Amino acid sequence: MNTIVVSYSLSGNNDALAGSIAKALGAEHIRIREQKNRNTGTIAVDLLLGRTPRVSPDADRLAGGDMVVFVGPVWMKCVATPFRVFFKRLREHPVPYAYVSISGGALGPNPNLAKELTKRLGMAPVSLVDMHIADLLPIEKPSMKDTGDYRLTPEDNVKLTDLAVRELQSAMATK
């Protein structure tokens, strides 16, 4: 199976996780980069207006993949907007996909994540692994600043990668 891992990360946490997942799966790792700087304001405006930011590389890099694993944050309970061009490409040329995220979690769980992914891609993910930095912190109710400032330790990355890879391999085995 030709698996492609596609990541986007503002903080570096999801890119670190994606790199480890790609290595464990023997998959190609594609990192999405934005052409403009991103901040909390542009996140909110993109989500509010439904904008798709300009990114590189081109989404045609998904060609030839039998399975795509997206690894990226959830912003204000929505999938990060830089994925949208890749989602459109996958919707037009469908193959099974999964979504893995390590996001803040200060706002709680993301109960509509699977529904949003299904709507945007035209099919449900074969696996959805939604992990939160809030669960890694010793603080009972961390703030968005607490979770936003946190960077995964090497130990965190190993633990989260193992969890995600187990879930992905289980889903791929039943696909």
Side-chain angles (χ1 to χ4, degrees), residues 1-4 28 60-68 89 95:
M1 176 175 284
N2 183 22
T3 302
I4 300 172
E28 176 185 3
D60 286 337
R61 293 271 310 271
L62 296 181
D66 301 318
M67 170 77 173
V68 178
R89 173 35 168 101
V95 297

Side-chain angles (χ1 to χ4, degrees), residues 4 7 12 15 18 20 34 37-38 53 60-61 64 78-80 89-90 105 110 119 130 147 149 152 159:
I4 300 172
S7 68
D15 273 343
S20 296
E34 291 189 90
N37 290 335
R38 168 120 356 235
D60 286 337
R61 293 271 310 271
C78 297
V79 175
R89 173 35 168 101
L90 199 61
N110 300 305
K119 179 181 175 186
D130 185 23
T147 60
D149 289 346
L152 296 179
K159 182 173 120 180

Side-chain angles (χ1 to χ4, degrees), residues 85-108:
V85 69
F86 282 79
F87 289 173
K88 181 179 178 194
R89 173 35 168 101
L90 199 61
R91 186 179 182 106
E92 293 168 356
H93 305 280
V95 297
Y97 75 96
Y99 194 85
V100 176
S101 178
I102 180 66
S103 55
L107 298 177

